[in-house]
Amino acid sequence: MRFPASWLPLIIWTTVISALPRVRLFIDQQRLSPPTAKESQRKYVLPVFDPNPSDRADEIKRNRKGYLYGASLIGNTSYFPTGVLGDPMVKEHVDLWYADAAWVSQKVAEEYQSAATTAASHGGLRNLSSFDLLYDGQWEATLPYGPALGAQTNYTQDLFFSMERLSVNPYVVKRLHPNQELPFEVDNTIVARLVPGWNLETLHASGRLFLADHSYQAKYPKVDGKFSSACSAYFYIHPASREFLPLAIKTNVGSNLIYTPFDEADDWLLAKMMFNMNDLFHGQIFHLANSHAVMEAVYQAALRTLSAAHPIRAFLDRIMYQAFAIRPVGEDVLFNPGGFFDQSFALSNEAVRQFATEHYPLSAGPFQSNYFHQDLIARGLMNCTYGPALASVPFYDDGNAIVSSLRRFTDAYLRAYYPRGNLIFLDTELQNWISEAANGAKVLDFPPSPLVSWDVLVSILTHAAFLTGVSHHALNSGTPASTSGVLPFHPAALYAPLPTTKGSITSLMPFLPNMTDSLNQIALLIRFNRPKLEDSDGNLVHMFSSSKFLAGGCSAINRAAKLFQAEMLDISGRIQSKTFDHNGLAQGMPFVWRSLDPSKIPFFLSV
C-alpha cells in the first residue's frame, strides 16, 4: 500500500512512539541512561536523563493548570497569560519593567524642561533648521549619542529618504515582480527625466521597481486636530548609478496627489515627510505584533509543556526577560485613550488596535516566513532572480552578522544537550511544545509536529533570539529617537490639512508640530531608549552570559557563550566605527545607521 508523502511525519512519529520502550532500552545499553554523575549535577537536563521523572511530570501538570491562555491585549493578536501562575508572573514582569524604566522616565522629564528652555531662549521653532535647537546639546543622559550622524543635515537628499527603507524600517518595501500589476501610474515623461531611455513599464519589467505601501492607513481613525496621509511610494534601482532612489509618492487621501522629485522643493519634501509619518506608525505597531505578540505566544506554549529544568525552557526564560510587561503597560499608559500615543501620533489608539488585528495574520504574525533571510528573499531584497541586486542593504549587512552568530551559539547549545540528533524524537516535552505552540497557543506558521529535523529546531530558537534581540530593536528601542522619529523629517502627525493641489505651499511649518508637540514626540520616543545598557549585562553582548543561565550547562556551552560575546563585541566595534566615505556615504547612505549595535541594544523585548 502506498501512502501520500504528506503522511510521512505522522508515520515516523507513530513508529517512534510505538518503539519507545525498545529505544529506551537501546539508550540504556549505550550508557545514555541512567545519566552520568556530571549529567545528574546539571541544572538543565532532558526528560530522558532526568533522575526524577515523576516530579517533573507533576511540575508540568501544575504549569498546565496555572498558565492559562487569556484574551489578547492591544488588538486581536496572540493570547495573553492568565491563571494562578500566569497572573503573578505578569505582575513580576510589570514590576521589573517599571523599575528598569524609572531612571529613563525621570531623566526625560528633567531634560524636557532644559530643551524647552533652550529652544524658547532662541526664539522657538521658526524654520526647519530651528528644530536643531531641540536636539543639539540636549538629552545628554537619555540620548547620549544624539540623532544619527547626518539625520539633521542630509535629510533633504532623496538618497537619505530611500535608504531609510533598507535600514531604519526594512519591513515594508518589496520588489515588484514583473508579473504583478502596477498599483498606480506615473507620468512617463517624469520617469524619462529621472532615468533617460526608461519608462515605468521597463523599470517594472526589468525587476528594478519597488513599492512601499501604507495605503491601508487611509481608513484608520485619527486624533482630533491632527491630519494624516496613507502614502504609497515607488523606488527604483538606477541603471547607471545602481543607487536605490525614490520615484513617486501617492497620498491615497484627499485629492490623492502623486508627488515626484521634479515637484517644487517644499511639495516633494512634504510628500517624503508624509510617507515617513505613515512609516513611523507602521514601525512602532508592526514591532508590537511581530516581536512581542509572536514570542509571547511561543513562550506561553513552553511554560505549559517544558519543565523549568529543560534546556530549551532555560533558553526561552533567558531571552524572555520581563516580556509580559509590555502589553499591559501599553494598555495602561501608551495606547490608552488620550495617552502618550494619542498625544503625539495622528492615528489614534484605536488605529493601533486595528493595525495589530489586521496585520498580525497577514505579515507580522507568521513565524517561519519572518525568518531573517526568508523574509528578505521573499520581498526581493536579497538573492532576487528577476532583477538586479541592490547595491547596499544595511539591515542585511548588520543583521546577517548577528543572526549568523546567534545560529552558531544555538546550534552549539543544543548539541551540548542533544549529543545525538535522534534524541529530539525521544524528548516528549520538546514534541509537546512544538504541538502546543501551533495548536494551543495558535502561533501562526509554526513548524509542524512532530519535529523531525535538527535544522528546524535550531531555526526556531535562532528566530526566537532574533525577534527579542535584533528585530525588536531595529524598529523600537533607540531607533525612533535617533533615526525614524527625528524631527522635522519624521513627524508623528501633521497639524494642517493636506494640500489639495501641488505648488500651493508657502511654508512647511504649519504642517509640523509646534514646540510643545515636538518636545512631546521627542520625549515619547526617547522613553523607548535604554542608554544605561552599554555599561550593563542587559545588552545583546551578554545575551547568553548570565551566570544563572550558564550554571545549568557544561564547558561546551560556556565556550560557545564566550565566542558569542566576542563576536558581538567585534560586530559592535565595526558598527561604532562606521563613518562617511569620500562620497559622504556610509553603507551607501547619507547618514550613519548604528541601530543594531550589540553593545547598545537589549537582548530582550525592552519596550
Side-chain angles (χ1 to χ4, degrees):
M1 180 177 179
R2 298 178 62 87
F3 296 97
S6 60
W7 289 18
L8 183 58
L10 180 60
I11 294 170
I12 293 173
W13 182 239
T14 304
T15 303
V16 168
I17 292 299
S18 64
L20 193 54
R22 296 191 299 277
V23 175
R24 286 189 181 276
L25 177 60
F26 173 79
I27 292 175
D28 287 342
Q29 293 170 341
Q30 299 297 314
R31 300 188 202 265
L32 291 176
S33 181
T36 64
K38 183 178 291 186
E39 288 166 341
S40 297
Q41 292 171 1
R42 288 187 186 177
K43 182 177 181 179
Y44 308 123
V45 62
L46 297 182
V48 72
F49 293 139
D50 198 319
N52 300 300
S54 60
D55 291 348
R56 190 167 180 139
D58 289 343
E59 175 202 349
I60 292 174
K61 287 179 182 178
R62 290 193 299 272
N63 288 346
R64 292 193 69 80
K65 292 179 180 179
Y67 292 112
L68 302 179
Y69 297 117
S72 177
L73 300 179
I74 314 177
N76 186 16
T77 56
S78 65
Y79 295 124
F80 194 76
T82 187
V84 295
L85 295 178
D87 291 341
M89 175 188 65
V90 170
K91 182 181 184 305
E92 178 186 359
H93 286 206
V94 170
D95 290 345
L96 284 169
W97 188 90
Y98 275 114
D100 281 354
W103 181 88
V104 173
S105 298
Q106 177 185 343
K107 287 297 181 182
V108 164
E110 295 171 3
E111 294 185 320
Y112 181 108
Q113 295 302 322
S114 173
T117 300
T118 299
S121 69
H122 287 80
L125 301 180
R126 295 166 295 173
N127 49 44
L128 296 184
S129 62
S130 62
F131 280 88
D132 290 348
L133 295 170
L134 304 181
Y135 293 99
D136 293 348
Q138 307 300 324
W139 317 101
E140 293 181 347
T142 54
L143 193 66
Y145 296 96
L149 187 63
Q152 297 169 267
T153 55
N154 298 338
Y155 65 84
T156 60
Q157 297 181 31
D158 282 353
L159 188 62
F160 186 108
F161 173 69
S162 56
M163 290 302 293
E164 286 188 301
R165 317 284 75 83
L166 302 177
S167 55
V168 299
N169 185 353
Y171 287 101
V172 178
V173 71
K174 62 181 180 180
R175 192 186 306 245
L176 291 172
H177 193 281
N179 293 335
Q180 288 181 263
E181 185 176 347
L182 289 173
F184 64 94
E185 296 295 326
V186 178
D187 187 340
N188 272 325
T189 60
I190 293 173
V191 179
R193 290 176 64 190
L194 286 169
V195 193
W198 293 70
N199 57 39
L200 191 65
E201 290 71 25
T202 54
L203 287 174
H204 183 208
S206 66
R208 295 178 178 273
L209 193 62
F210 296 73
L211 176 71
D213 184 20
H214 293 304
S215 60
Y216 58 87
Q217 294 184 20
K219 64 180 182 294
Y220 288 170
K222 301 173 184 63
V223 176
D224 289 344
K226 297 175 184 174
F227 304 88
S228 182
S229 54
C231 292
S232 304
Y234 279 143
F235 301 87
Y236 69 100
I237 298 175
H238 197 285
S241 70
R242 295 185 61 216
E243 289 181 323
F244 180 72
L245 296 166
L247 189 148
I249 299 171
K250 183 171 180 280
T251 63
N252 294 308
V253 297
S255 299
N256 199 13
L257 300 175
I258 297 176
Y259 293 88
T260 75
F262 292 111
D263 289 326
E264 293 186 10
D266 278 354
D267 281 351
W268 179 232
L269 186 55
L270 177 63
K272 291 186 285 187
M273 290 175 173
M274 288 191 287
F275 181 94
N276 280 341
M277 171 180 56
N278 299 138
D279 209 53
L280 179 60
F281 174 88
H282 170 277
Q284 294 317 291
I285 314 309
F286 180 87
H287 107 269
L288 182 71
N290 176 250
S291 297
H292 292 279
V294 171
M295 276 310 300
E296 287 177 24
V298 172
Y299 189 39
Q300 286 179 80
L303 291 171
R304 289 170 50 82
T305 55
L306 300 177
S307 164
H310 198 290
I312 290 177
R313 169 72 183 275
F315 186 101
L316 294 173
D317 285 346
R318 173 62 179 165
I319 67 174
M320 291 296 284
Y321 171 74
Q322 72 176 36
F324 291 115
I326 307 307
R327 285 203 278 177
V329 170
E331 287 279 18
D332 288 345
V333 300
L334 183 58
F335 302 119
N336 56 312
F340 283 123
F341 199 85
D342 284 356
Q343 292 170 27
S344 288
F345 282 75
L347 299 179
S348 73
N349 72 90
E350 288 301 322
V352 168
R353 291 167 172 78
Q354 192 171 343
F355 175 96
T357 300
E358 292 175 354
H359 286 257
Y360 182 74
L362 295 176
S363 57
F367 193 81
Q368 294 178 89
S369 59
N370 275 307
Y371 286 176
F372 177 72
H373 295 96
Q374 189 167 327
D375 171 55
L376 294 175
I377 291 170
R379 289 187 286 123
L381 304 186
M382 300 300 303
N383 301 342
C384 183
T385 59
Y386 52 88
L390 288 157
S392 175
V393 183
F395 177 63
Y396 173 80
D397 294 342
D398 293 1
N400 182 60
I402 298 173
V403 170
S404 297
S405 186
L406 284 171
R407 189 174 187 88
R408 282 190 292 273
F409 174 83
T410 302
D411 184 77
Y413 179 81
L414 290 172
R415 288 188 187 280
Y417 289 105
Y418 295 89
R420 297 183 181 182
N422 62 350
L423 283 174
I424 65 175
F425 295 102
L426 303 176
D427 188 344
T428 53
E429 291 181 19
L430 167 64
Q431 296 296 345
N432 289 339
W433 172 52
I434 298 299
S435 176
E436 178 79 11
N439 302 308
K442 306 296 183 185
V443 181
L444 304 176
D445 189 33
F446 201 73
S449 173
L451 180 70
V452 298
S453 167
W454 178 264
D455 183 70
V456 171
L457 178 57
V458 174
S459 294
I460 290 172
L461 293 188
T462 300
H463 187 55
F466 168 73
L467 288 177
T468 66
V470 185
S471 177
H472 176 278
H473 315 305
L475 297 175
N476 196 254
S477 299
T479 294
S482 63
T483 50
S484 62
V486 174
L487 292 167
F489 196 43
H490 308 88
L494 295 183
Y495 291 81
L498 277 63
T500 56
T501 60
K502 293 194 287 187
S504 59
I505 298 175
T506 57
S507 171
L508 291 172
M509 294 303 290
F511 297 97
L512 297 173
N514 61 28
M515 190 165 75
T516 298
D517 291 324
S518 294
L519 285 166
N520 287 342
Q521 175 179 326
I522 293 169
L524 169 62
L525 300 183
I526 288 179
R527 284 187 178 93
F528 302 158
N529 195 29
R530 292 293 179 266
K532 297 178 75 174
L533 283 176
E534 188 172 8
D535 300 319
S536 78
D537 59 3
N539 58 28
L540 185 60
V541 173
H542 299 284
M543 185 177 230
F544 303 115
S545 300
S546 161
S547 58
K548 178 182 177 182
F549 176 71
L550 293 176
C554 62
S555 58
I557 294 173
N558 278 271
R559 288 194 300 270
K562 288 179 181 178
L563 176 60
F564 177 83
Q565 186 174 11
E567 290 175 342
M568 290 302 102
L569 287 171
D570 179 67
I571 293 169
S572 175
R574 283 185 274 145
I575 290 176
Q576 290 182 26
S577 68
K578 290 181 187 179
T579 189
F580 292 129
D581 61 19
H582 64 281
N583 292 317
L585 303 176
Q587 294 178 289
M589 306 186 292
F591 64 98
V592 179
W593 181 66
R594 299 191 177 107
S595 289
L596 296 187
D597 181 351
S599 70
K600 295 182 176 61
I601 58 177
F603 69 79
F604 55 95
L605 299 168
S606 54
V607 182

